[in-house]
Every structure is written in structure tokens, then in C-alpha cells.
Amino acid sequence: YGLEKPDGGTRPIGVGSAIRRLAGRCIYAQMKDEFGNVLTRTVPSAAMRLAAGLAADAPCNAPLQLGCGTPGGAEIIIAAVRLAMELDPRWAVLSDDKVNGYKALSREAILDGVREFFPELLPTVRMFYCREGGLFMRGQAGTFAAVDGDGLPFKSMEGCTQGDPLGPILWSLAYHVALLKIQAHHPDTLILCYLDDTYYLQLPNKALAAMRS
């Protein structure tokens, strides 16, 4: 399936089997509070701080991923930005939005994130993301395999499926490993995320340096 994007592009929506979608919804409903805690309370490890040139016990912010497991995450980000700018008007807010973020993420990074934070989910994730999946399209003429101009079939080999109830949390867990490393190199920068939309708050030069990490 495909949805037209505002810029004229197409956003593919992968619709898995009913059992897969149901299982994903049940897992997320049962574990959403745990997901939220990990994505908002995990600070860079001692090893990450040492690798960034800090002392193992140096003070360091925690990057806040508010797009998964935290109700009202967008409103929290707005309030946090307003408060931070009021406390220090010298600060700047820089943001980035990942291009094709869900589709470009490597499956290896997804597995690393799950292994780091929720290893009990590895069997489920491997079942759906550790093999090449066939892609099919459905239209008035029926269902047929998606192929390129040479007739070779497309395969699902990277990223999360948009349409998978676990897609947002899998993407967030993979991204959080990178966010923790960025935070270790910029311990006093405030990093706020809503899925792949990331905001860096600090003095302009420090915020820019964090965004470019």
C-alpha cells in the first residue's frame, strides 16, 4: 500500500498478517511503560562516557525519546523547549528530521538496540526482521509481487515496516543507542526526540556540534 506524501512522494505502508499485527499490539500494550522508562531515563554508560573523554561518573543528561511509551510526548517537548528558552534566552533550538528514517535503518542496528534494552524480545524480532521478506502489491487486478524495471523482485531487507505496531519502538531502541553516544560527547546539551524528529537545545555552537555528531 502507498500513501501520497505532501511533497508528492509515496509513503509505503507494509501490512503484515493479522496475527503479526495483533501480537505486536499486545506486546506494546503490555510493555509500553517499560519502553517509556528506558527511553527517558537511560543515561550514557560509564564506558560511553570514558570513550567520549569524560570521567566514568561525570554528570550527563539523559536523551529523551518521547515518541514511544510516553503519553503526550509532543506536548512535553513543546513545554520543555519553552521552559529551557525562558531559563536561558541565549540558547538555540536546532532540529533535524531523518530522511526515510524508518526504511534506511539497518536491521543490525535494530537487533543491537533490542539486545541492549529488551533482550527478551529478540525471538519475536528475529522472526520478522532476520530474513528477506517478499513484497507484494494489491490492486484491482489482484495481488502480485513487487518487481523492479528488470522484473526482479523487491525484498524487504532494511528498516522497520511502517504498519508494524512494533515499528516505532524498534526504531526508537535502535536510535537510542546512537543518542546515548551523542549525549556522552555533549553531556550538558538537552536532546529531545519525537521518533526521528530530534531537537538539540544549548548555546548555538554547542547545539550545532551535537546535531552534527
Side-chain angles (χ1 to χ4, degrees), residues 31-43 63-65 68-70 118 176:
M31 300 183 65
K32 61 181 180 180
D33 290 340
E34 296 175 64
F35 293 151
N37 286 337
V38 165
L39 295 174
T40 56
R41 298 183 182 181
T42 304
V43 298
L64 304 180
Q65 171 58 265
C68 261
T70 302
F118 293 99
H176 215 61

Side-chain angles (χ1 to χ4, degrees), residues 134-169:
L135 298 177
F136 299 86
M137 297 186 292
R138 179 175 296 173
Q140 294 181 346
T143 301
F144 50 93
V147 297
D148 62 17
D150 296 324
L152 298 176
F154 286 115
K155 296 290 186 179
S156 175
M157 301 170 59
E158 297 291 343
C160 298
T161 305
Q162 289 194 256
D164 180 1
L166 291 179
I169 185 59

Side-chain angles (χ1 to χ4, degrees), residues 26 30 35-36 47 71 78 80 117 119 128 143-144 157 162-163 169 178 191 195 212:
C26 290
Q30 181 176 346
F35 293 151
I78 293 171
F117 300 113
F128 299 123
T143 301
F144 50 93
M157 301 170 59
Q162 289 194 256
I169 185 59
I191 302 176
L195 297 177
R212 287 177 170 173

Side-chain angles (χ1 to χ4, degrees), residues 9 12 14-15 24 28 34 37 60 65 69 89 91 97 125 133 135 144 147 152 155 174 180 186 189 195 201 205:
V15 181
Y28 187 81
E34 296 175 64
N37 286 337
C60 187
Q65 171 58 265
W91 277 25
D97 180 12
V125 176
L135 298 177
F144 50 93
V147 297
L152 298 176
K155 296 290 186 179
L180 289 169
H186 306 276
T189 296
L195 297 177
L201 287 81
N205 61 324

Side-chain angles (χ1 to χ4, degrees), residues 166-209:
L166 291 179
I169 185 59
L170 295 181
W171 195 93
S172 297
L173 293 176
Y175 186 36
H176 215 61
V177 176
L179 287 176
L180 289 169
K181 293 177 181 179
I182 294 172
Q183 188 73 82
H185 282 85
H186 306 276
D188 56 354
T189 296
L190 180 58
I191 302 176
L192 307 171
C193 303
Y194 195 92
L195 297 177
D196 60 342
D197 295 319
T198 309
Y199 304 89
Y200 306 87
L201 287 81
Q202 242 297 352
L203 297 174
N205 61 324
K206 290 187 175 182
L208 183 60

Side-chain angles (χ1 to χ4, degrees), residues 1-14 162:
Y1 294 93
L3 299 178
E4 185 176 355
K5 298 171 70 173
D7 61 4
T10 302
R11 184 186 304 279
I13 304 297
Q162 289 194 256

Side-chain angles (χ1 to χ4, degrees), residues 92-162:
V93 183
L94 302 184
S95 67
D96 66 52
D97 180 12
K98 310 301 178 292
V99 177
N100 199 27
Y102 270 65
K103 296 293 183 292
L105 184 69
S106 75
R107 298 276 171 89
E108 183 177 354
I110 293 173
L111 292 172
D112 286 344
V114 174
R115 188 180 296 109
E116 175 71 22
F117 300 113
F118 293 99
E120 66 270 29
L121 292 181
L122 275 173
T124 300
V125 176
R126 285 176 176 150
M127 186 185 305
F128 299 123
Y129 286 102
C130 282
R131 61 184 175 83
E132 295 181 3
L135 298 177
F136 299 86
M137 297 186 292
R138 179 175 296 173
Q140 294 181 346
T143 301
F144 50 93
V147 297
D148 62 17
D150 296 324
L152 298 176
F154 286 115
K155 296 290 186 179
S156 175
M157 301 170 59
E158 297 291 343
C160 298
T161 305
Q162 289 194 256

